[in-house]
Amino acid sequence: AISRRAPECFQDLPQPDRIVLGGGGADIVEILEQGTARLAPGGVLVGHFATLEACMQAQTWLNAEGWDVRLMQVNLSRAVPIVQATRWSPLNPVMLLQARSPT
């Protein structure tokens, strides 16, 4: 696993068959352009997003490029004490995007 800022890190890496993106924010299109250009044929890109806008921007760009895109929303809760019991306190949902490169 490489933990460096995209898209700058792409030039120094061998051709991947999988890319996992953590967000992307304002740079998401540039990251997708450079990352998908380096991805091996049949490769898979996975991204997780905290905002709907960033996820939709990635989905729109990937769809326009012919990628097969799937979305999922994940909701987690944390156990917290309440008096002499435990309750669930929901955390912010996260959107997951999985995309397969066109063959």
Side-chain angles (χ1 to χ4, degrees):
I2 304 297
S3 182
R4 292 181 31 213
R5 187 161 176 80
E8 294 84 22
C9 68
F10 294 151
Q11 300 86 325
D12 302 331
L13 301 174
Q15 184 180 39
D17 59 2
R18 303 280 188 271
I19 294 176
V20 178
L21 298 176
D27 298 328
I28 189 63
V29 170
E30 182 181 6
I31 292 168
L32 290 170
E33 288 172 347
Q34 292 187 33
T36 58
R38 299 215 4 109
L39 195 60
V44 175
L45 179 135
V46 174
H48 55 90
F49 302 92
T51 68
L52 181 59
E53 290 79 8
C55 185
M56 294 299 96
Q57 191 174 13
Q59 180 192 31
T60 299
W61 188 89
L62 289 162
N63 282 336
E65 296 294 315
W67 287 62
D68 177 29
V69 179
R70 296 179 183 180
L71 298 176
M72 182 185 323
Q73 184 183 52
V74 180
N75 294 290
L76 299 173
S77 296
R78 181 176 290 137
V80 294
I82 182 170
V83 188
Q84 294 180 353
T86 304
R87 71 172 181 84
W88 291 108
S89 178
L91 301 171
N92 287 333
V94 174
M95 287 145 288
L96 300 177
L97 176 147
Q98 178 193 36
R100 277 199 190 276
S101 66
T103 52

